[in-house]
């Protein structure tokens, strides 16, 4: 029985448990033994939870443990010379899993012929549509047979454990359904625990991401001095193939400057246009204009970033080069900061506009009416009443747009180039941290080399920068927020 069938069985029996719990509570109440402590629906939900939750926990726990047990079984059946070669070990494990899959689809006669050496496993598997890159070695057959044995045993164990948990939970909860049972409290406490668990998953995921970046970054800093990294002005990591000991220069400042510079131009475009359009649509536009203009602006958010990159590469970049940069003698390349910032700013206009529009619209109507009743004009009401009330939300919208600009990669690659360049000329090629992270993690590079590990150092640094921006914004919001009853 596969996981999908098990999930279907859990869903079916849980619904059956709900019906049983509801029916029993109604019957007990109808006989007049005593008044129910909760509504019948809570008794049904109580049986449903007891039926589904233990089975789901067992299924999840065994699904997590299964890959670990399978890999341990494969390693236990590999020869020592294979285990001593870490670079080949993962390939061997993958090869054994392929052989195990082939053993499952071969007929008993074919398996016997493989065992006595009449035919090769590779030719038999190829006849069943499972080609292998090389001949199967004897130890791979032994490991694959052990793997299949363990996998079948695990499948049976999972089926038995889940079915047993379903039966136990259903019977236990059904027997406990009595009029004096406080089913509502138990159900609500269980839902509260599930909500806490869901929140914990988000928090733990964030911690896991940070730790995964931090450990790899520390490995990088054990090879490259943090002072040279954070204060270096030359980014030249060079290419290091597998086994090479060549290292370059990892100056962070050109990438940091490129990220800030391009994001600055993007925000210079997005914030005024997005905020002014939000003010117009929220306070001045008629309902007919608003119903047309707002969806049209939000369409910009649905366009893939690669399309913006094409637009920058084929249209905006050449226009800026031919009509601005070349006549002024500031550059000759279509890839420059202005192009990337302009197109990126257009892309994030909806983030500022739509969010700000929703926030301004949510300001209580009584504030507007009170201001207008005191004789203030509409623009004075907007400046002195509505915008202070909406300031926290507007700052949040700008922060979201800034985070989007800092993390954008595709437009920068196509519109600004990949050159790490620290210059004030906005018509020069430049790049950002995220682009270099992509560059360092692609290609034939050894994972333990500083050329690869520097991507994690860049990632954790970018995380700290965005975290600092969020903390700063929260501080500003708390200081200048207007309080209304």
């Amino acid at each position: 029985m596969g996981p999908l069938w098990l999930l279907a069985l859990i869903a079916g029996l849980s619904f059956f448990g709900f019906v049983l719990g509801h029916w029993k509570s109604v019957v007990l109440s109808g006989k007049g033994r005593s008044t129910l402590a909760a509504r019948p629906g809570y008794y049904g939900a109580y049986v449903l939870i007891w039926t589904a939750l233990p089975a789901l926990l067992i299924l999840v726990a065994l699904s997590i443990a299964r890959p670990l047990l399978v890999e341990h079984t494969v390693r236990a059946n590999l020869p020592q010379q294979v285990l001593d070669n870490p670079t080949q070990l993962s390939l061997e494990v993958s090869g054994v899993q392929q052989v195990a899959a082939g053993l499952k689809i071969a007929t008993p006669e074919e398996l016997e012929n493989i065992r006595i050496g009449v035919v090769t496993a590779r030719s038999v598997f190829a006849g069943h549509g499972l080609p292998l890159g090389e001949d199967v070695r004897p130890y791979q057959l032994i490991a694959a047979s052990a793997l299949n044995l363990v996998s079948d045993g695990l499948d049976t164990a999972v089926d038995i454990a889940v079915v047993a948990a379903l039966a136990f939970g259903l019977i236990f909860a059904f027997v406990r359904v009595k009029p004096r049972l406080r089913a509502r409290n138990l159900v609500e406490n269980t839902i509260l625990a599930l909500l806490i668990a869901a929140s914990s998953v988000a928090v733990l995921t964030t911690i896991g991401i940070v730790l995964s970046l931090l450990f790899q970054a520390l490995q990088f800093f054990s090879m490259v001095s943090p002072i040279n990294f954070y204060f270096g002005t030359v980014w030249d990591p060079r290419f290091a193939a597998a086994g090479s000991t060549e290292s370059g220069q990892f100056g962070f400042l050109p990438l940091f400057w490129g990220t800030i510079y391009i994001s600055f131009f993007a925000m210079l475009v997005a914030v005024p246009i997005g905020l002014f359009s939000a003010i117009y649509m929220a306070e001045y536009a008629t309902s007919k204009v608003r119903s047309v203009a707002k969806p049209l602006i939000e369409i910009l958010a649905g366009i893939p970033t690669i399309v913006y990159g094409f637009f920058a590469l084929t249209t905006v970049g050449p226009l800026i080069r031919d009509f601005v940069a070349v006549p002024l003698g500031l550059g000759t390349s279509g890839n420059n900061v202005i192009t990337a910032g302009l197109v990126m700013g257009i892309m994030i206009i909806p983030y500022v506009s739509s969010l700000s529009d929703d926030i301004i619209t949510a300001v209580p109507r009584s504030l507007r009416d009170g201001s207008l009743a005191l004789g203030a004009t509409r623009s004075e009401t907007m400046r002195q009443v509505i915008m202070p009330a909406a300031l926290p939300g507007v700052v949040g919208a700008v922060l979201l747009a800034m985070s989007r600009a800092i993390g954008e990669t595709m437009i920068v690659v196509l519109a600004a180039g990949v050159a790490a360049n620290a210059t004030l000329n906005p018509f020069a090629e430049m790049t950002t941290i995220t682009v270099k992270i992509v560059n360092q993690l692609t290609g034939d590079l050894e994972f333990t080399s500083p050329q690869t590990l520097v991507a994690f150092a860049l990632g954790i640094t970018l995380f700290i920068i965005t975290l600092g921006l969020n903390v700063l914004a929260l501080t500003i919001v708390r200081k200048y927020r207007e309080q209304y009853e």
Side-chain angles (χ1 to χ4, degrees), residues 294-478:
K294 189 173 182 181
L296 288 177
I297 293 176
E298 290 176 346
I299 287 176
L300 292 174
I303 298 175
T305 56
I306 186 66
V307 176
Y308 282 107
F310 288 151
F311 176 63
L313 184 67
T314 60
T315 305
V316 180
L319 285 176
I320 291 177
R321 178 195 59 198
D322 297 338
F323 293 97
V324 182
V326 173
L328 296 177
L330 297 174
T332 58
S333 174
N335 293 333
N336 51 59
V337 174
I338 289 286
T339 302
L342 177 61
V343 177
M344 198 186 299
I346 294 172
M347 182 190 71
I348 60 180
I349 283 175
Y351 291 87
V352 180
S353 173
S354 295
L355 290 174
S356 300
D357 177 45
D358 294 338
I359 294 160
I360 293 171
T361 307
V363 174
R365 185 70 194 175
S366 58
L367 296 179
R368 295 177 176 82
D369 294 341
S371 176
L372 295 173
L374 290 173
T377 64
R378 184 177 286 185
S379 61
E380 289 171 341
T381 301
M382 172 58 66
R383 286 198 315 272
Q384 300 180 12
V385 177
I386 297 177
M387 284 308 294
L391 180 63
V394 172
V395 172
V398 172
L399 271 180
L400 180 62
M402 186 180 296
S403 301
R404 187 75 178 83
I406 290 176
E408 176 53 34
T409 304
M410 190 60 67
I411 293 177
V412 178
V413 171
L414 295 176
V418 294
N421 192 9
T423 176
L424 288 174
N425 183 5
F427 298 97
E429 291 190 21
M430 206 171 286
T431 192
T432 61
I433 297 173
T434 55
V435 171
K436 285 305 174 186
I437 290 175
V438 174
N439 286 348
Q440 297 307 120
L441 289 178
T442 53
D444 185 19
L445 292 173
E446 190 175 1
F447 192 79
T448 56
S449 68
Q451 283 78 9
T452 301
L453 293 175
V454 70
F456 297 94
L458 293 173
I460 193 69
T461 306
L462 188 63
F463 173 78
I464 293 172
I465 292 172
T466 53
L467 180 64
L469 287 174
N470 290 338
V471 172
L472 177 63
L474 286 174
T475 304
I476 294 173
V477 168
R478 288 176 180 174

Side-chain angles (χ1 to χ4, degrees), residues 3-218:
L4 290 179
W5 283 109
L6 287 176
L7 289 174
L9 181 63
I10 292 172
L13 281 181
S14 301
F15 178 73
F16 180 66
F18 176 84
V19 175
L20 274 183
H22 187 280
W23 169 79
K24 185 177 179 180
S25 64
V26 171
V27 169
L28 293 177
S29 175
K31 290 181 178 178
R33 293 179 181 176
S34 60
T35 305
L36 292 175
R39 291 183 177 180
Y42 285 105
Y43 291 96
Y46 175 75
V47 180
L48 183 149
I49 290 172
W50 262 101
T51 305
L53 197 56
L56 285 174
L57 291 177
I58 290 175
L59 182 61
V60 171
L62 293 178
S63 299
I64 293 173
R66 182 190 179 91
L68 302 177
L69 294 174
V70 167
E71 185 169 350
H72 175 74
T73 302
V74 174
R75 286 171 178 257
N77 289 277
L78 292 177
Q80 189 60 40
Q81 61 269 24
V82 175
L83 297 176
D84 291 339
N85 190 351
T87 58
Q88 294 295 324
L89 185 56
S90 60
L91 295 176
E92 288 287 349
V93 173
S94 176
V96 169
Q97 290 176 342
Q98 282 189 316
V99 174
L103 292 178
K104 284 188 175 181
I105 59 178
T107 63
E109 293 78 10
E110 291 172 336
L111 293 178
E112 180 62 19
N113 290 334
I114 292 173
R115 188 184 67 79
I116 62 178
V118 176
V119 295
T120 62
R122 185 182 182 187
S123 62
V124 172
F125 297 163
H128 289 282
L130 182 65
L132 297 179
E134 55 185 5
D135 293 333
V136 178
R137 302 180 185 88
Y139 68 81
Q140 288 181 320
L141 279 176
I142 296 173
S145 301
L147 174 59
N148 283 340
L149 188 63
V150 171
S151 296
D152 294 341
L154 284 174
D155 290 340
T156 304
V158 171
D159 293 346
I160 293 174
V162 170
V163 172
L166 283 171
F168 170 78
L170 178 61
I171 295 171
F172 175 79
F174 181 75
V175 171
R176 289 202 65 194
V177 171
K178 296 176 181 176
R180 63 178 180 276
L181 178 68
R182 296 188 177 277
R184 176 182 174 180
N185 295 343
L186 296 173
V187 170
E188 290 183 347
N189 289 337
T190 304
I191 293 174
L192 178 61
L194 291 175
L195 294 176
I196 293 174
S199 303
S200 302
V201 167
V203 174
L204 292 175
T205 302
T206 304
I207 294 174
I209 292 172
V210 173
L211 290 179
S212 66
L213 289 174
L214 186 61
F215 289 145
Q216 302 295 340
L218 290 177

